[in-house]
Amino acid sequence: MSQLHHYLTFPKRPITQDEYFPAIQKLLSAGVPATYTLEQIAAFEQGREDEDDADASNTTPLHVMARSLPQDLSKDEEQVVLNIMNVLFEYGAGWNFIDYEQKTIGDLLLENGQSRDGVLYSRLVDAGVSAELLLRKINGGEIEFIEEPVEAEEETPSQEDPATQEAPQEAPQEATQEATQEATQEASDASTDQKAYLESKLEYTKDSLVTDENRDGVMMDWETAIMEKAAESICANEDATVVNIGFGMGIIDTAIQSHHPKKHYICEAHPDVLKKMKDEGWYSKPGVVVLEGRWQDRLNELLDEGEVFFDGIYYDTFSEHYEDMLELYDVIVGLLKPGGVFSFFNGLGADRPLCYDVYKKIVDLDVSNYGLRCDYEVLPVGKRNWDEVKRSYFNCDYYYHPRISFG
């Protein structure tokens, strides 16, 4: 363990500014990386290189600090710890690395008595928001959405002179072809590529909708309570005109019908889902208008015509990304009535609670640029059965239900 990590175990109480801050700041200013991991230290002491292993852990100084926090931390001590967090972030500490127990810094803070609205956890979330917005700026406006915490990069500089390094060997043709095939397969993954999704076959099971080939969970019935709350939000006005983007299993559309809207638009693009809707009689339901095709086409048509405006808009598609939602915001502000409500299935970053909390705040910031206000209601999330799908897509035990309207 390095001196930096040792100080962050807080061996002496109380935790005072004079006891810890100057020493930690001195080590950082001397060049000790703020992301120097315990794993790198162990590799160095054993005389081996720290291998770039996808399964390797990255126990950073912030992990050590969060794991070492006393349960009875006083307000004065909390302020000192906050100052230490600030200087670690100033020197490049990462907010979303995972340690040897596959835990984030946020997980450890909460385990040691900190609350989600406490100053330490809030500072961590703010660091995540700042980092993500900075990445967006650096990437020229592209959204760098992180669904999973990442491994720390090697912080120790290479000892080799770049001028003396050998040029990389050309990959064998077989390896090149294999890499190309893998890249093509990744690009056509139905869970990440909308064109591939719309061309994929879907299967309706007893309690889920999945892609037939990869068993990606498109929708599952555990979402029912969430959808019922969403329908209540977007159908708040009497005789409402609403639109749902993405039919899926029809859970929210069934809930919307229970509120007896004046007009109920459904925008859906997948041919298997459209067939399901026809088989179930949605095309002939009174007041229902089915918009076949991608929302990017059909809603923009409504916007250009300027004849239909909505009291409620809901968005829940598959294989789209947060940059698609930013495009949707451009359309929403033109289609939403002054007293209307926009909501969406909020699974942004829900692979990890810390990421989920970060993107809760990012959405709030982004919609404010459109003159919209986002209010969240926290809902409990009950038991989820992932047996029928390849992987879980919501790993938090709480749900942030968004209600977005003009402020």
Side-chain angles (χ1 to χ4, degrees), residues 111-134:
E111 286 177 9
N112 279 327
Q114 299 299 305
S115 63
R116 292 191 185 280
D117 56 358
V119 294
L120 301 185
Y121 191 87
S122 296
R123 178 64 184 91
L124 182 63
V125 169
D126 286 344
V129 172
S130 298
E132 293 304 286
L133 295 180
L134 178 61

mmCIF file with all atom_site columns, all heavy atoms in Angstrom, residues 111-134:
data_model
loop_
_atom_site.group_PDB
_atom_site.id
_atom_site.type_symbol
_atom_site.label_atom_id
_atom_site.label_alt_id
_atom_site.label_comp_id
_atom_site.label_asym_id
_atom_site.label_entity_id
_atom_site.label_seq_id
_atom_site.pdbx_PDB_ins_code
_atom_site.Cartn_x
_atom_site.Cartn_y
_atom_site.Cartn_z
_atom_site.occupancy
_atom_site.B_iso_or_equiv
_atom_site.pdbx_formal_charge
_atom_site.auth_seq_id
_atom_site.auth_comp_id
_atom_site.auth_asym_id
_atom_site.auth_atom_id
_atom_site.pdbx_PDB_model_num
ATOM 1   N N   . GLU A 1 111 ? -22.713 2.011  1.821   1.00 0.00 ? 111 GLU A N   1
ATOM 2   C CA  . GLU A 1 111 ? -22.524 0.943  2.804   1.00 0.00 ? 111 GLU A CA  1
ATOM 3   C C   . GLU A 1 111 ? -21.979 1.477  4.121   1.00 0.00 ? 111 GLU A C   1
ATOM 4   O O   . GLU A 1 111 ? -22.233 0.905  5.188   1.00 0.00 ? 111 GLU A O   1
ATOM 5   C CB  . GLU A 1 111 ? -21.560 -0.110 2.251   1.00 0.00 ? 111 GLU A CB  1
ATOM 6   C CG  . GLU A 1 111 ? -22.168 -0.998 1.186   1.00 0.00 ? 111 GLU A CG  1
ATOM 7   C CD  . GLU A 1 111 ? -21.170 -1.982 0.619   1.00 0.00 ? 111 GLU A CD  1
ATOM 8   O OE1 . GLU A 1 111 ? -20.044 -2.081 1.186   1.00 0.00 ? 111 GLU A OE1 1
ATOM 9   O OE2 . GLU A 1 111 ? -21.498 -2.664 -0.365  1.00 0.00 ? 111 GLU A OE2 1
ATOM 10  N N   . ASN A 1 112 ? -21.235 2.581  4.053   1.00 0.00 ? 112 ASN A N   1
ATOM 11  C CA  . ASN A 1 112 ? -20.634 3.142  5.258   1.00 0.00 ? 112 ASN A CA  1
ATOM 12  C C   . ASN A 1 112 ? -21.420 4.323  5.826   1.00 0.00 ? 112 ASN A C   1
ATOM 13  O O   . ASN A 1 112 ? -20.844 5.231  6.442   1.00 0.00 ? 112 ASN A O   1
ATOM 14  C CB  . ASN A 1 112 ? -19.186 3.553  4.986   1.00 0.00 ? 112 ASN A CB  1
ATOM 15  C CG  . ASN A 1 112 ? -18.240 2.370  5.061   1.00 0.00 ? 112 ASN A CG  1
ATOM 16  O OD1 . ASN A 1 112 ? -18.446 1.441  5.836   1.00 0.00 ? 112 ASN A OD1 1
ATOM 17  N ND2 . ASN A 1 112 ? -17.197 2.386  4.258   1.00 0.00 ? 112 ASN A ND2 1
ATOM 18  N N   . GLY A 1 113 ? -22.708 4.297  5.615   1.00 0.00 ? 113 GLY A N   1
ATOM 19  C CA  . GLY A 1 113 ? -23.583 5.222  6.330   1.00 0.00 ? 113 GLY A CA  1
ATOM 20  C C   . GLY A 1 113 ? -23.897 6.527  5.633   1.00 0.00 ? 113 GLY A C   1
ATOM 21  O O   . GLY A 1 113 ? -24.651 7.346  6.185   1.00 0.00 ? 113 GLY A O   1
ATOM 22  N N   . GLN A 1 114 ? -23.356 6.753  4.444   1.00 0.00 ? 114 GLN A N   1
ATOM 23  C CA  . GLN A 1 114 ? -23.683 7.975  3.723   1.00 0.00 ? 114 GLN A CA  1
ATOM 24  C C   . GLN A 1 114 ? -25.014 7.811  2.993   1.00 0.00 ? 114 GLN A C   1
ATOM 25  O O   . GLN A 1 114 ? -25.372 6.718  2.569   1.00 0.00 ? 114 GLN A O   1
ATOM 26  C CB  . GLN A 1 114 ? -22.575 8.307  2.716   1.00 0.00 ? 114 GLN A CB  1
ATOM 27  C CG  . GLN A 1 114 ? -21.216 8.553  3.357   1.00 0.00 ? 114 GLN A CG  1
ATOM 28  C CD  . GLN A 1 114 ? -21.240 9.730  4.316   1.00 0.00 ? 114 GLN A CD  1
ATOM 29  O OE1 . GLN A 1 114 ? -21.636 10.835 3.949   1.00 0.00 ? 114 GLN A OE1 1
ATOM 30  N NE2 . GLN A 1 114 ? -20.837 9.481  5.551   1.00 0.00 ? 114 GLN A NE2 1
ATOM 31  N N   . SER A 1 115 ? -25.745 8.896  2.842   1.00 0.00 ? 115 SER A N   1
ATOM 32  C CA  . SER A 1 115 ? -27.039 8.842  2.162   1.00 0.00 ? 115 SER A CA  1
ATOM 33  C C   . SER A 1 115 ? -26.907 9.377  0.741   1.00 0.00 ? 115 SER A C   1
ATOM 34  O O   . SER A 1 115 ? -25.935 10.063 0.411   1.00 0.00 ? 115 SER A O   1
ATOM 35  C CB  . SER A 1 115 ? -28.070 9.686  2.922   1.00 0.00 ? 115 SER A CB  1
ATOM 36  O OG  . SER A 1 115 ? -27.686 11.051 2.941   1.00 0.00 ? 115 SER A OG  1
ATOM 37  N N   . ARG A 1 116 ? -27.889 9.060  -0.090  1.00 0.00 ? 116 ARG A N   1
ATOM 38  C CA  . ARG A 1 116 ? -27.843 9.505  -1.488  1.00 0.00 ? 116 ARG A CA  1
ATOM 39  C C   . ARG A 1 116 ? -27.906 11.026 -1.613  1.00 0.00 ? 116 ARG A C   1
ATOM 40  O O   . ARG A 1 116 ? -27.403 11.586 -2.582  1.00 0.00 ? 116 ARG A O   1
ATOM 41  C CB  . ARG A 1 116 ? -28.999 8.880  -2.273  1.00 0.00 ? 116 ARG A CB  1
ATOM 42  C CG  . ARG A 1 116 ? -28.859 7.395  -2.448  1.00 0.00 ? 116 ARG A CG  1
ATOM 43  C CD  . ARG A 1 116 ? -29.865 6.834  -3.435  1.00 0.00 ? 116 ARG A CD  1
ATOM 44  N NE  . ARG A 1 116 ? -29.741 5.384  -3.470  1.00 0.00 ? 116 ARG A NE  1
ATOM 45  C CZ  . ARG A 1 116 ? -28.822 4.720  -4.148  1.00 0.00 ? 116 ARG A CZ  1
ATOM 46  N NH1 . ARG A 1 116 ? -27.952 5.391  -4.881  1.00 0.00 ? 116 ARG A NH1 1
ATOM 47  N NH2 . ARG A 1 116 ? -28.770 3.407  -4.110  1.00 0.00 ? 116 ARG A NH2 1
ATOM 48  N N   . ASP A 1 117 ? -28.525 11.686 -0.644  1.00 0.00 ? 117 ASP A N   1
ATOM 49  C CA  . ASP A 1 117 ? -28.584 13.140 -0.693  1.00 0.00 ? 117 ASP A CA  1
ATOM 50  C C   . ASP A 1 117 ? -27.533 13.783 0.213   1.00 0.00 ? 117 ASP A C   1
ATOM 51  O O   . ASP A 1 117 ? -27.544 14.997 0.422   1.00 0.00 ? 117 ASP A O   1
ATOM 52  C CB  . ASP A 1 117 ? -29.977 13.655 -0.332  1.00 0.00 ? 117 ASP A CB  1
ATOM 53  C CG  . ASP A 1 117 ? -30.448 13.160 1.036   1.00 0.00 ? 117 ASP A CG  1
ATOM 54  O OD1 . ASP A 1 117 ? -29.711 12.389 1.688   1.00 0.00 ? 117 ASP A OD1 1
ATOM 55  O OD2 . ASP A 1 117 ? -31.547 13.552 1.452   1.00 0.00 ? 117 ASP A OD2 1
ATOM 56  N N   . GLY A 1 118 ? -26.611 12.980 0.749   1.00 0.00 ? 118 GLY A N   1
ATOM 57  C CA  . GLY A 1 118 ? -25.534 13.508 1.576   1.00 0.00 ? 118 GLY A CA  1
ATOM 58  C C   . GLY A 1 118 ? -24.461 14.191 0.738   1.00 0.00 ? 118 GLY A C   1
ATOM 59  O O   . GLY A 1 118 ? -24.387 14.000 -0.477  1.00 0.00 ? 118 GLY A O   1
ATOM 60  N N   . VAL A 1 119 ? -23.599 14.960 1.382   1.00 0.00 ? 119 VAL A N   1
ATOM 61  C CA  . VAL A 1 119 ? -22.637 15.785 0.650   1.00 0.00 ? 119 VAL A CA  1
ATOM 62  C C   . VAL A 1 119 ? -21.589 14.941 -0.069  1.00 0.00 ? 119 VAL A C   1
ATOM 63  O O   . VAL A 1 119 ? -21.134 15.309 -1.165  1.00 0.00 ? 119 VAL A O   1
ATOM 64  C CB  . VAL A 1 119 ? -21.944 16.806 1.588   1.00 0.00 ? 119 VAL A CB  1
ATOM 65  C CG1 . VAL A 1 119 ? -22.937 17.816 2.105   1.00 0.00 ? 119 VAL A CG1 1
ATOM 66  C CG2 . VAL A 1 119 ? -21.220 16.121 2.726   1.00 0.00 ? 119 VAL A CG2 1
ATOM 67  N N   . LEU A 1 120 ? -21.184 13.819 0.503   1.00 0.00 ? 120 LEU A N   1
ATOM 68  C CA  . LEU A 1 120 ? -20.134 13.012 -0.115  1.00 0.00 ? 120 LEU A CA  1
ATOM 69  C C   . LEU A 1 120 ? -20.652 12.278 -1.350  1.00 0.00 ? 120 LEU A C   1
ATOM 70  O O   . LEU A 1 120 ? -20.019 12.292 -2.415  1.00 0.00 ? 120 LEU A O   1
ATOM 71  C CB  . LEU A 1 120 ? -19.552 12.018 0.890   1.00 0.00 ? 120 LEU A CB  1
ATOM 72  C CG  . LEU A 1 120 ? -18.933 12.626 2.151   1.00 0.00 ? 120 LEU A CG  1
ATOM 73  C CD1 . LEU A 1 120 ? -18.283 11.535 3.002   1.00 0.00 ? 120 LEU A CD1 1
ATOM 74  C CD2 . LEU A 1 120 ? -17.900 13.700 1.803   1.00 0.00 ? 120 LEU A CD2 1
ATOM 75  N N   . TYR A 1 121 ? -21.801 11.638 -1.235  1.00 0.00 ? 121 TYR A N   1
ATOM 76  C CA  . TYR A 1 121 ? -22.375 10.948 -2.389  1.00 0.00 ? 121 TYR A CA  1
ATOM 77  C C   . TYR A 1 121 ? -22.766 11.958 -3.469  1.00 0.00 ? 121 TYR A C   1
ATOM 78  O O   . TYR A 1 121 ? -22.547 11.722 -4.662  1.00 0.00 ? 121 TYR A O   1
ATOM 79  C CB  . TYR A 1 121 ? -23.590 10.131 -1.970  1.00 0.00 ? 121 TYR A CB  1
ATOM 80  C CG  . TYR A 1 121 ? -24.079 9.190  -3.060  1.00 0.00 ? 121 TYR A CG  1
ATOM 81  C CD1 . TYR A 1 121 ? -23.545 7.917  -3.197  1.00 0.00 ? 121 TYR A CD1 1
ATOM 82  C CD2 . TYR A 1 121 ? -25.081 9.587  -3.946  1.00 0.00 ? 121 TYR A CD2 1
ATOM 83  C CE1 . TYR A 1 121 ? -23.985 7.061  -4.195  1.00 0.00 ? 121 TYR A CE1 1
ATOM 84  C CE2 . TYR A 1 121 ? -25.524 8.742  -4.949  1.00 0.00 ? 121 TYR A CE2 1
ATOM 85  C CZ  . TYR A 1 121 ? -24.977 7.472  -5.073  1.00 0.00 ? 121 TYR A CZ  1
ATOM 86  O OH  . TYR A 1 121 ? -25.411 6.635  -6.076  1.00 0.00 ? 121 TYR A OH  1
ATOM 87  N N   . SER A 1 122 ? -23.302 13.100 -3.060  1.00 0.00 ? 122 SER A N   1
ATOM 88  C CA  . SER A 1 122 ? -23.675 14.140 -4.030  1.00 0.00 ? 122 SER A CA  1
ATOM 89  C C   . SER A 1 122 ? -22.453 14.662 -4.770  1.00 0.00 ? 122 SER A C   1
ATOM 90  O O   . SER A 1 122 ? -22.520 14.944 -5.975  1.00 0.00 ? 122 SER A O   1
ATOM 91  C CB  . SER A 1 122 ? -24.386 15.295 -3.316  1.00 0.00 ? 122 SER A CB  1
ATOM 92  O OG  . SER A 1 122 ? -25.610 14.861 -2.747  1.00 0.00 ? 122 SER A OG  1
ATOM 93  N N   . ARG A 1 123 ? -21.333 14.766 -4.062  1.00 0.00 ? 123 ARG A N   1
ATOM 94  C CA  . ARG A 1 123 ? -20.103 15.222 -4.727  1.00 0.00 ? 123 ARG A CA  1
ATOM 95  C C   . ARG A 1 123 ? -19.644 14.206 -5.764  1.00 0.00 ? 123 ARG A C   1
ATOM 96  O O   . ARG A 1 123 ? -19.169 14.579 -6.853  1.00 0.00 ? 123 ARG A O   1
ATOM 97  C CB  . ARG A 1 123 ? -18.990 15.433 -3.683  1.00 0.00 ? 123 ARG A CB  1
ATOM 98  C CG  . ARG A 1 123 ? -17.650 15.875 -4.290  1.00 0.00 ? 123 ARG A CG  1
ATOM 99  C CD  . ARG A 1 123 ? -17.779 17.238 -4.937  1.00 0.00 ? 123 ARG A CD  1
ATOM 100 N NE  . ARG A 1 123 ? -16.565 17.662 -5.611  1.00 0.00 ? 123 ARG A NE  1
ATOM 101 C CZ  . ARG A 1 123 ? -16.278 17.435 -6.892  1.00 0.00 ? 123 ARG A CZ  1
ATOM 102 N NH1 . ARG A 1 123 ? -17.163 16.766 -7.645  1.00 0.00 ? 123 ARG A NH1 1
ATOM 103 N NH2 . ARG A 1 123 ? -15.171 17.873 -7.439  1.00 0.00 ? 123 ARG A NH2 1
ATOM 104 N N   . LEU A 1 124 ? -19.797 12.934 -5.458  1.00 0.00 ? 124 LEU A N   1
ATOM 105 C CA  . LEU A 1 124 ? -19.436 11.885 -6.404  1.00 0.00 ? 124 LEU A CA  1
ATOM 106 C C   . LEU A 1 124 ? -20.327 11.942 -7.643  1.00 0.00 ? 124 LEU A C   1
ATOM 107 O O   . LEU A 1 124 ? -19.848 11.835 -8.779  1.00 0.00 ? 124 LEU A O   1
ATOM 108 C CB  . LEU A 1 124 ? -19.555 10.528 -5.720  1.00 0.00 ? 124 LEU A CB  1
ATOM 109 C CG  . LEU A 1 124 ? -19.166 9.293  -6.538  1.00 0.00 ? 124 LEU A CG  1
ATOM 110 C CD1 . LEU A 1 124 ? -17.694 9.332  -6.926  1.00 0.00 ? 124 LEU A CD1 1
ATOM 111 C CD2 . LEU A 1 124 ? -19.473 8.023  -5.752  1.00 0.00 ? 124 LEU A CD2 1
ATOM 112 N N   . VAL A 1 125 ? -21.616 12.121 -7.436  1.00 0.00 ? 125 VAL A N   1
ATOM 113 C CA  . VAL A 1 125 ? -22.547 12.234 -8.556  1.00 0.00 ? 125 VAL A CA  1
ATOM 114 C C   . VAL A 1 125 ? -22.210 13.456 -9.411  1.00 0.00 ? 125 VAL A C   1
ATOM 115 O O   . VAL A 1 125 ? -22.199 13.389 -10.646 1.00 0.00 ? 125 VAL A O   1
ATOM 116 C CB  . VAL A 1 125 ? -23.998 12.309 -8.048  1.00 0.00 ? 125 VAL A CB  1
ATOM 117 C CG1 . VAL A 1 125 ? -24.958 12.687 -9.179  1.00 0.00 ? 125 VAL A CG1 1
ATOM 118 C CG2 . VAL A 1 125 ? -24.408 10.972 -7.437  1.00 0.00 ? 125 VAL A CG2 1
ATOM 119 N N   . ASP A 1 126 ? -21.907 14.574 -8.764  1.00 0.00 ? 126 ASP A N   1
ATOM 120 C CA  . ASP A 1 126 ? -21.549 15.787 -9.506  1.00 0.00 ? 126 ASP A CA  1
ATOM 121 C C   . ASP A 1 126 ? -20.295 15.563 -10.347 1.00 0.00 ? 126 ASP A C   1
ATOM 122 O O   . ASP A 1 126 ? -20.181 16.085 -11.469 1.00 0.00 ? 126 ASP A O   1
ATOM 123 C CB  . ASP A 1 126 ? -21.320 16.951 -8.546  1.00 0.00 ? 126 ASP A CB  1
ATOM 124 C CG  . ASP A 1 126 ? -22.620 17.489 -7.960  1.00 0.00 ? 126 ASP A CG  1
ATOM 125 O OD1 . ASP A 1 126 ? -23.688 17.172 -8.515  1.00 0.00 ? 126 ASP A OD1 1
ATOM 126 O OD2 . ASP A 1 126 ? -22.567 18.208 -6.935  1.00 0.00 ? 126 ASP A OD2 1
ATOM 127 N N   . ALA A 1 127 ? -19.351 14.792 -9.809  1.00 0.00 ? 127 ALA A N   1
ATOM 128 C CA  . ALA A 1 127 ? -18.137 14.479 -10.572 1.00 0.00 ? 127 ALA A CA  1
ATOM 129 C C   . ALA A 1 127 ? -18.490 13.655 -11.807 1.00 0.00 ? 127 ALA A C   1
ATOM 130 O O   . ALA A 1 127 ? -17.920 13.865 -12.888 1.00 0.00 ? 127 ALA A O   1
ATOM 131 C CB  . ALA A 1 127 ? -17.143 13.715 -9.689  1.00 0.00 ? 127 ALA A CB  1
ATOM 132 N N   . GLY A 1 128 ? -19.436 12.733 -11.651 1.00 0.00 ? 128 GLY A N   1
ATOM 133 C CA  . GLY A 1 128 ? -19.871 11.941 -12.791 1.00 0.00 ? 128 GLY A CA  1
ATOM 134 C C   . GLY A 1 128 ? -20.560 12.786 -13.845 1.00 0.00 ? 128 GLY A C   1
ATOM 135 O O   . GLY A 1 128 ? -20.308 12.626 -15.044 1.00 0.00 ? 128 GLY A O   1
ATOM 136 N N   . VAL A 1 129 ? -21.401 13.693 -13.420 1.00 0.00 ? 129 VAL A N   1
ATOM 137 C CA  . VAL A 1 129 ? -22.096 14.589 -14.358 1.00 0.00 ? 129 VAL A CA  1
ATOM 138 C C   . VAL A 1 129 ? -21.079 15.446 -15.105 1.00 0.00 ? 129 VAL A C   1
ATOM 139 O O   . VAL A 1 129 ? -21.128 15.575 -16.341 1.00 0.00 ? 129 VAL A O   1
ATOM 140 C CB  . VAL A 1 129 ? -23.106 15.473 -13.614 1.00 0.00 ? 129 VAL A CB  1
ATOM 141 C CG1 . VAL A 1 129 ? -23.686 16.536 -14.547 1.00 0.00 ? 129 VAL A CG1 1
ATOM 142 C CG2 . VAL A 1 129 ? -24.231 14.618 -13.028 1.00 0.00 ? 129 VAL A CG2 1
ATOM 143 N N   . SER A 1 130 ? -20.136 16.027 -14.388 1.00 0.00 ? 130 SER A N   1
ATOM 144 C CA  . SER A 1 130 ? -19.116 16.880 -15.008 1.00 0.00 ? 130 SER A CA  1
ATOM 145 C C   . SER A 1 130 ? -18.286 16.099 -16.018 1.00 0.00 ? 130 SER A C   1
ATOM 146 O O   . SER A 1 130 ? -17.997 16.587 -17.117 1.00 0.00 ? 130 SER A O   1
ATOM 147 C CB  . SER A 1 130 ? -18.201 17.481 -13.936 1.00 0.00 ? 130 SER A CB  1
ATOM 148 O OG  . SER A 1 130 ? -18.926 18.309 -13.058 1.00 0.00 ? 130 SER A OG  1
ATOM 149 N N   . ALA A 1 131 ? -17.896 14.876 -15.646 1.00 0.00 ? 131 ALA A N   1
ATOM 150 C CA  . ALA A 1 131 ? -17.078 14.055 -16.537 1.00 0.00 ? 131 ALA A CA  1
ATOM 151 C C   . ALA A 1 131 ? -17.824 13.708 -17.813 1.00 0.00 ? 131 ALA A C   1
ATOM 152 O O   . ALA A 1 131 ? -17.268 13.775 -18.920 1.00 0.00 ? 131 ALA A O   1
ATOM 153 C CB  . ALA A 1 131 ? -16.643 12.781 -15.807 1.00 0.00 ? 131 ALA A CB  1
ATOM 154 N N   . GLU A 1 132 ? -19.097 13.342 -17.691 1.00 0.00 ? 132 GLU A N   1
ATOM 155 C CA  . GLU A 1 132 ? -19.872 12.968 -18.857 1.00 0.00 ? 132 GLU A CA  1
ATOM 156 C C   . GLU A 1 132 ? -20.136 14.165 -19.783 1.00 0.00 ? 132 GLU A C   1
ATOM 157 O O   . GLU A 1 132 ? -20.073 14.052 -21.004 1.00 0.00 ? 132 GLU A O   1
ATOM 158 C CB  . GLU A 1 132 ? -21.185 12.331 -18.428 1.00 0.00 ? 132 GLU A CB  1
ATOM 159 C CG  . GLU A 1 132 ? -20.999 10.998 -17.728 1.00 0.00 ? 132 GLU A CG  1
ATOM 160 C CD  . GLU A 1 132 ? -20.223 10.014 -18.593 1.00 0.00 ? 132 GLU A CD  1
ATOM 161 O OE1 . GLU A 1 132 ? -20.787 9.491  -19.569 1.00 0.00 ? 132 GLU A OE1 1
ATOM 162 O OE2 . GLU A 1 132 ? -19.046 9.785  -18.305 1.00 0.00 ? 132 GLU A OE2 1
ATOM 163 N N   . LEU A 1 133 ? -20.421 15.317 -19.199 1.00 0.00 ? 133 LEU A N   1
ATOM 164 C CA  . LEU A 1 133 ? -20.643 16.511 -20.020 1.00 0.00 ? 133 LEU A CA  1
ATOM 165 C C   . LEU A 1 133 ? -19.358 16.955 -20.699 1.00 0.00 ? 133 LEU A C   1
ATOM 166 O O   . LEU A 1 133 ? -19.367 17.443 -21.833 1.00 0.00 ? 133 LEU A O   1
ATOM 167 C CB  . LEU A 1 133 ? -21.226 17.636 -19.167 1.00 0.00 ? 133 LEU A CB  1
ATOM 168 C CG  . LEU A 1 133 ? -22.626 17.384 -18.598 1.00 0.00 ? 133 LEU A CG  1
ATOM 169 C CD1 . LEU A 1 133 ? -23.097 18.579 -17.780 1.00 0.00 ? 133 LEU A CD1 1
ATOM 170 C CD2 . LEU A 1 133 ? -23.628 17.075 -19.710 1.00 0.00 ? 133 LEU A CD2 1
ATOM 171 N N   . LEU A 1 134 ? -18.230 16.780 -20.008 1.00 0.00 ? 134 LEU A N   1
ATOM 172 C CA  . LEU A 1 134 ? -16.940 17.115 -20.611 1.00 0.00 ? 134 LEU A CA  1
ATOM 173 C C   . LEU A 1 134 ? -16.641 16.179 -21.779 1.00 0.00 ? 134 LEU A C   1
ATOM 174 O O   . LEU A 1 134 ? -16.177 16.632 -22.844 1.00 0.00 ? 134 LEU A O   1
ATOM 175 C CB  . LEU A 1 134 ? -15.833 17.026 -19.561 1.00 0.00 ? 134 LEU A CB  1
ATOM 176 C CG  . LEU A 1 134 ? -14.406 17.314 -20.063 1.00 0.00 ? 134 LEU A CG  1
ATOM 177 C CD1 . LEU A 1 134 ? -14.312 18.731 -20.622 1.00 0.00 ? 134 LEU A CD1 1
ATOM 178 C CD2 . LEU A 1 134 ? -13.387 17.120 -18.940 1.00 0.00 ? 134 LEU A CD2 1
#
